[in-house]
Each structure stands twice: as C-alpha cells, then as structure tokens.
Amino acid sequence: MFSTKGRYALRVMIDLAQQNSSDYIPLKDIAERQDISKKYLEIIAKEMVKGGLIKGASGKHGGYKLLREPDDYSIGEIIELMEGTFSPVVCLEDNAEECPRKEKCKTLSMWSDFYKMEKNFFYEKKLSDLL
C-alpha cells in the first residue's frame, strides 16, 4: 500500500507539470489547488529536491519547478523516491546479501516475477501520461 507521502508527491509533480511554466510555483499555491497541508508539502518537496526530481528557490519569486519535461519522469522513480523499493522481499532489494536459501527457495521465482511486473508497470508510465 502506498502512503499519502507517495500519493501527494505524485499530485505535486502533476500540478507542477500542469502549470507548464519555467517560473517557480509557490508551494502555497500547490497546497491550495491540491487541498493538502502546506506544512506537509514542505516535507515532501524537500525530499523531492534532495532526490533530484524538482528544483526549489526561496524568496519573493520562489517556489518549485520541474527539472525535466513531464515525459522524462517515470512514475516509478517518483514513487520509489518517496516510498522506497518496490521489492516485495528483502532478498530482491538492490545490494541485498545473497540468501543462503536461494537455491532451495520455492517462492523466489514468484516474488521475482511480481517485483518485475510491479516495477515495470510504474517505470513504463510517465508523468505526462497522467496529465
């Protein structure tokens, strides 16, 4: 299940893309349009800046804007940044230690198939698909 943090991050990205502007969009405007607490969006936006999804500027004409075109963002990268890995089990995570039961595991192929299916689904969808 995805948290509000991941879902709200998608809404922020969609909102910024819909503005179709090279100007910075004030967070208070996004918060009003999306009916989300500005304080909560500040936390989310800070993570998105740190993760390289958006750019922020402070001051009179400050706010946030996309760093790339909407079709250059996958939904998967947005969700993974905010939610963490799509991996359903620890042994499939990036940099996971090899499981000593790997050769005997009767469920590994099922988890692996599910992981690929879910990851491919979200990484094939672009932000522009949601506009």
Side-chain angles (χ1 to χ4, degrees):
M1 183 181 296
F2 297 114
S3 69
T4 55
K5 191 169 154 186
R7 294 190 331 265
Y8 288 1
L10 278 174
R11 287 169 57 185
V12 168
M13 296 294 287
I14 291 167
D15 191 287
L16 289 172
Q18 286 175 323
Q19 303 317 305
N20 199 19
S21 172
S22 60
D23 296 334
Y24 287 93
I25 309 299
L27 197 59
K28 70 175 183 57
D29 294 352
I30 298 169
E32 286 174 17
R33 279 191 297 271
Q34 296 300 321
D35 196 28
I36 302 171
S37 155
K38 182 178 175 264
K39 212 162 192 51
Y40 192 35
L41 283 189
E42 287 171 353
I43 296 166
I44 292 170
K46 186 176 181 181
E47 267 188 66
M48 291 178 9
V49 167
K50 187 177 177 184
L53 292 179
I54 61 176
K55 183 176 182 179
S58 53
K60 185 177 179 183
H61 299 288
Y64 295 90
K65 66 180 178 179
L66 298 180
L67 288 171
R68 299 175 265 158
E69 292 298 314
D71 39 327
D72 291 335
Y73 288 97
S74 73
I75 300 305
E77 74 177 302
I78 299 166
I79 292 174
E80 246 184 339
L81 175 68
M82 302 310 291
E83 300 285 342
T85 181
F86 284 111
S87 177
V89 289
V90 173
C91 60
L92 293 176
E93 288 181 355
D94 291 338
N95 303 319
E97 290 183 31
E98 189 165 317
C99 179
R101 292 191 38 82
K102 182 178 179 179
E103 299 305 319
K104 298 183 248 175
C105 184
K106 302 292 185 192
T107 61
L108 182 60
S109 65
M110 175 190 67
W111 294 125
S112 182
D113 289 348
F114 177 73
Y115 178 45
K116 288 175 195 165
M117 182 177 66
E118 183 181 33
K119 191 168 183 168
N120 288 341
F121 175 82
F122 286 111
Y123 272 88
E124 288 173 5
K125 292 224 178 293
K126 302 296 179 187
L127 181 59
S128 55
D129 295 334
L130 301 179
L131 298 180

